[in-house]
Amino acid sequence: MNTIMLANHPTLIVAGIFLAFVLLELACSAFKQSNGSRRDVLIEAIGSGILVTITFPTVMWLSAKILSLTVPELKDALITLPWLAGFALFLLLDDMTQYWWHRLTHRVPMLYALHRAHHSAPYMSIRIVYRNNSFYYWLMPGIWLSGMLIYLGLAPVYYIYLIVKMTVIFAAHSSVPWDEKLYRIPALRPAVWVLERVISTPSTHSAHHGLTAEDGVTHYKGNFGNLLFVWDMLFGTAKITRRRPPAYGIENLSPISWTEELFWPLARRRHAKPAAKTNEEVAP
């Protein structure tokens, strides 16, 4: 009974896991990475707050509302679907579509403006997980599709899926390189080889956040996976080095205000000259 009650409150569990990673970084003196930058604190606090309190619940409500108005007869239509099949649907319609959305934002300069806040941080940390423009998540198809799957009766599956997914994402963004410990254990080599090709890890995801490809580790045009790294393996965007970049951020970044990073296109620079494309904005 207690397990069922906990499963029906995934937000509290996810918040608890997030706090655990915060405490882990604090314990390892790896949480305050930005030297107290007020700009970074504002981007992370306001951006995360908007997602958690406004964007996510609103998109979930709207997606279900759209179905209730257009196809009300489909309410709970998938409620008898086997659990594993339901979980696979979320992997395909949420995690895989997020891979493609993430990949697209790195290919289209206008969309990259919605994502650059996530990469402008000069560090890896649990702090940057939700660090994005306030419109980035409104356009993410996976959230809308997840809300629709919940309407179709897969809420219990989504609760578990969300906990698993966010745990992996938190761990992949963490400034604590927990995967390095696993690499050093000979008995775990086969399992770790499989693990780093299935889910995102600090090594593979930090490479996506690296400052320059010249360091031999950074791979900002790949390693787009969130929960599953399998998508990168399947679609040819994977790079595995088991190392972390020496520096993070966006090479040749033209500085803009924190308000523009959070609220573009509503907030824009005035009379600014067109900036040269950064290495992240140029399609391969």
Side-chain angles (χ1 to χ4, degrees), residues 28 37 65 86 92 112 156 168 207 210 231 247-248 263 283:
C28 297
S37 168
K65 190 66 174 178
L92 291 172
Y112 188 73
V168 171
W231 311 128
Y248 301 99
F263 301 110

Side-chain angles (χ1 to χ4, degrees), residues 99-112 115 208 219-224 232 235-237 277 279-284:
Y99 164 88
W100 284 107
W101 166 242
H102 187 188
R103 183 171 174 173
L104 184 64
T105 61
H106 279 263
R107 297 299 190 266
V108 180
M110 183 173 292
L111 293 180
Y112 188 73
H115 186 51
H208 176 68
H219 189 47
Y220 40 68
K221 293 178 183 176
N223 292 17
F224 298 114
D232 288 284
F235 301 122
T237 54
K277 289 182 178 180
N279 53 17
E280 292 207 23
E281 296 173 303
V282 179

Side-chain angles (χ1 to χ4, degrees), residues 206-277:
S206 65
H208 176 68
H209 282 261
L211 181 63
T212 173
E214 293 179 0
D215 60 27
V217 180
T218 293
H219 189 47
Y220 40 68
K221 293 178 183 176
N223 292 17
F224 298 114
N226 291 276
L227 166 53
L228 294 184
F229 192 71
V230 166
W231 311 128
D232 288 284
M233 299 296 295
L234 287 176
F235 301 122
T237 54
K239 181 177 182 178
I240 300 174
T241 66
R242 293 191 174 183
R243 294 181 290 150
R244 294 167 74 97
Y248 301 99
I250 306 174
E251 192 174 17
N252 302 320
L253 176 67
S254 299
I256 61 175
S257 67
W258 67 269
T259 55
E260 184 171 355
E261 283 212 339
L262 274 180
F263 301 110
W264 185 92
L266 297 183
R268 301 192 187 199
R269 289 170 290 185
R270 295 184 179 180
H271 309 297
K273 295 180 180 180
K277 289 182 178 180

Side-chain angles (χ1 to χ4, degrees), residues 149-172:
L149 288 175
I150 289 173
Y151 178 84
L152 295 175
L154 297 182
V157 179
Y158 181 69
Y159 296 158
I160 303 301
Y161 167 79
L162 183 65
I163 292 168
V164 172
K165 178 174 181 174
M166 294 316 303
T167 299
V168 171
I169 291 176
F170 293 160

Side-chain angles (χ1 to χ4, degrees), residues 78-120:
L78 299 180
I79 199 168
T80 59
L81 191 71
W83 192 90
L84 287 178
F87 197 88
L89 276 179
F90 281 111
L91 288 175
L92 291 172
L93 298 184
D94 175 65
D95 198 55
M96 188 179 72
T97 61
Q98 187 173 355
Y99 164 88
W100 284 107
W101 166 242
H102 187 188
R103 183 171 174 173
L104 184 64
T105 61
H106 279 263
R107 297 299 190 266
V108 180
M110 183 173 292
L111 293 180
Y112 188 73
L114 302 179
H115 186 51
R116 69 168 266 167
H118 190 65
H119 286 273
S120 64

